Amino acid sequence: MPVRPVLVLAALLLLAAAPTATADPYETVTVAPAGSIAADGTVTLSGTYRCLGNSGPVFVSSSVGQKSPSVRHGIGGTQAVCDGVEHRWENTGKPSPGALEPGAAHVEATVMELAPQGGLPLPRFHASRQQDVTLTEG
């Protein structure tokens, strides 16, 4: 398995297991109101983020759900730069065939750092957002 999907999977597992933390209000993540889904099922989501300071690698992860509120599909991960400036993120992924289709969907985007704590990388959340979007053919 390529490294990037493994990192995204690890980040999603850590997100599910980690307690919720309150982020600095200056740190933000947005989700564009429309994403795209290609004929082969590849989904592209995007938005912006801003974060401040980090001691470990930081990623913008995203997931999307559509048919069932309890089923989410991880859509890529983008390495983030925490310099206090707003940056654009774009994640692309290909869920199982037929899992998603054009139309209404629900996206969650999270800016998460793998901060070293006692030799182990533990999640530190910078920002998170959930938003309804429209997946368009593209």
Side-chain angles (χ1 to χ4, degrees):
M1 180 179 265
V3 174
R4 187 174 212 154
V6 170
L7 287 174
V8 171
L9 178 59
L12 290 174
L13 290 173
L14 285 171
L15 285 172
T20 303
T22 303
D24 182 316
Y26 187 72
E27 298 187 308
T28 61
V29 63
T30 68
V31 177
S36 67
I37 184 165
D40 70 353
T42 299
V43 173
T44 301
L45 303 171
S46 63
T48 63
Y49 72 90
R50 177 177 34 233
C51 54
L52 301 169
N54 60 293
S55 57
V58 180
F59 300 92
V60 180
S61 63
S62 57
S63 64
V64 62
Q66 192 171 53
K67 298 176 183 175
S68 168
S70 62
V71 177
R72 314 278 305 157
H73 304 277
I75 305 297
T78 301
Q79 192 157 6
V81 177
C82 290
D83 59 3
V85 175
E86 186 174 84
H87 297 276
R88 187 177 190 294
W89 66 269
E90 181 176 284
N91 292 343
T92 301
K94 190 172 178 181
S96 304
L100 299 169
E101 58 191 35
H106 189 75
V107 170
E108 181 172 3
T110 303
V111 180
M112 187 212 44
E113 175 181 355
L114 294 175
Q117 297 286 322
L120 294 174
L122 296 178
R124 176 179 166 227
F125 299 96
H126 289 264
S128 184
R129 180 174 181 101
Q130 294 187 29
Q131 182 172 317
D132 290 330
V133 303
T134 301
L135 295 179
T136 59
E137 291 184 46

